[in-house]
Amino acid sequence: MNEAVKHNLLGLDAEGLARFCATLGEKPFRVRQLLRWIHQAGEADFASMSDLSKPLRDKLAQTACVAAPQIVGDTPAEDGTRKWLVKVDGANAVESVFIPETSRATLCVSSQAGCVLDCSFCATGKQGFNRNLTSAEIIGQLWFANKILGVERRADRIISNVVFMGMGEPMLNLDHVIPALRLMLDDNAYGLSRRRVTVSTSGVIPGMDRLRDECPVALAVSLHAPNDALRDELVPVNRKYPLRELLAACQRYLEKAPRDFVTFEYVMLEGVNDSEALAREAAALAGRVRCKYNLIPFNPFGASGYRRSSPERIRRFAEILQRAGVTVTTRKTRGDDIAAACGQLAGDVADRTRRSARLALKEVRP
Ligand code: SAH
Ligand code: SF4
């Protein structure tokens, strides 16, 4: 059987693997063995799966494969952050970022090649959208990271936290994001707790409700503005799902969430959303849903047209929130010397929406 028509087992969660095993006439306990081999041992060759019978290994080799996307670039930053360029097909590559800290090691994964939502300050949005990643391509980023780091550091499963803050909007690709999340949480695979896996969304409400019902993990919402007029401009999806509805969706999410707060991400753009008046509005908004603010100093890229707020401005904004009793952290910029910081990820996306062409046209018009 040709590789292209073999079933790729990498992206199948326990339920998917159980269905696959049933088609081979195999018992459900094989699922646990396969998960452990594939995700804990990082094994892609069925012949090496020594506790499976020889006939089963042969059957698997004929009908299935464990195929991860290829890593085609590996860039280390001064601060230990590391960016991997992951080739998902002939035309598209996405990026994953490894962020080591003293007490944890976080992997930031991508969920789509590009993004349709076009937030005004985001490099991924500017390059347009090509396609959703498959669950194998999403979990493949974690599979590879553990494999590479494991070999280098002689340890298993180094990644302790995963954040869906790379390229793409995870709530627009839940069919593939949910099986990948289930693998991250499965004790036979990566065994991460729900609190250590965070999905970040720009506020796609139907997706938030579905995630809440099917696989609630920690939630971050890219707020960036405390009123609709400004948010419509910065995060265009706000025109479809305005703040009042977004806050109600956050409330619903919290009923099932592993943490009792939502993290509001707030990119600090000089002269745009960083005034004291807006800080007070942001503080008032915190009275409507249990939340913490995470201020993200804007990470510049190409011709974004924005500048990062000064440290003094960011400090003042944080202070106003704190004085109002709101918990606030300021994200340390990591990996910006290799364009691996939030919003700088661009990979290599063949834009099916032709947005880049439209943008280019707009730029040359008088
Ligand atoms: N699409 C999802 C997840 C990916 S973006 C979302 O928007 O939430 C991850 C985070 O980086 C989001 O909060 C996003 O708004 C932020 N971000 C995007 N561009 C940025 C930039 N240039 N500088 C700093 N943060 C940025
Ligand atoms: Fe898409 Fe998130 Fe970038 Fe907005 S910030 S364009 S939703 S990836």
Side-chain angles (χ1 to χ4, degrees), residues 251-266:
Q251 287 288 16
R252 291 196 294 279
Y253 195 90
L254 286 179
E255 291 162 11
K256 301 253 187 91
R259 292 183 182 270
D260 62 357
F261 62 89
V262 171
T263 303
F264 283 148
E265 296 161 281
Y266 197 105

Side-chain angles (χ1 to χ4, degrees), residues 19 92 95 226 235 342:
R19 274 197 300 270
N92 298 287
E95 293 177 332
V235 185
C342 306

Side-chain angles (χ1 to χ4, degrees), residues 9 21 24 26-27 29-38 43 45-61:
L9 304 192
C21 285
L24 298 183
E26 288 294 329
K27 296 265 166 17
F29 73 89
R30 298 291 181 206
V31 170
R32 201 184 47 174
Q33 289 176 310
L34 282 167
L35 283 173
R36 289 186 172 183
W37 276 115
I38 298 170
E43 186 55 72
D45 181 2
F46 297 117
S48 308
M49 300 186 180
S50 51
D51 58 357
L52 303 181
S53 68
K54 179 77 171 66
L56 175 56
R57 280 184 262 161
D58 291 343
K59 207 154 41 168
L60 285 168

Side-chain angles (χ1 to χ4, degrees), residues 158-169:
I158 293 194
I159 308 288
S160 63
N161 294 60
V162 176
V163 295
F164 280 74
M165 294 184 186
M167 296 164 65
E169 170 49 56

Side-chain angles (χ1 to χ4, degrees), residues 29 37 64 82 89 107 140 152 156 199 220 225 277 307 313 342 352 356 360 365:
F29 73 89
W37 276 115
R82 193 157 156 187
D89 57 46
L107 187 71
E152 288 172 3
D156 326 315
V199 170
R307 280 197 309 263
R313 266 277 203 223
C342 306
R352 266 202 292 118
S356 4
R365 276 193 204 125

Side-chain angles (χ1 to χ4, degrees), residues 297-317:
F298 170 64
N299 293 306
F301 58 91
S304 72
Y306 291 111
R307 280 197 309 263
R308 178 184 292 179
S309 307
S310 68
E312 175 49 29
R313 266 277 203 223
I314 298 177
R315 199 194 54 70
R316 181 70 190 129
F317 198 94

Side-chain angles (χ1 to χ4, degrees), residues 115 119 121-123 164-170 200-202 220 222 224 265 267 296-301 331 342-344:
C115 183
C119 299
F121 49 82
C122 173
F164 280 74
M165 294 184 186
M167 296 164 65
E169 170 49 56
S200 174
T201 180
S202 54
S222 296
H224 306 315
E265 296 161 281
V267 63
I296 316 175
F298 170 64
N299 293 306
F301 58 91
R331 192 173 296 174
C342 306
Q344 292 182 318

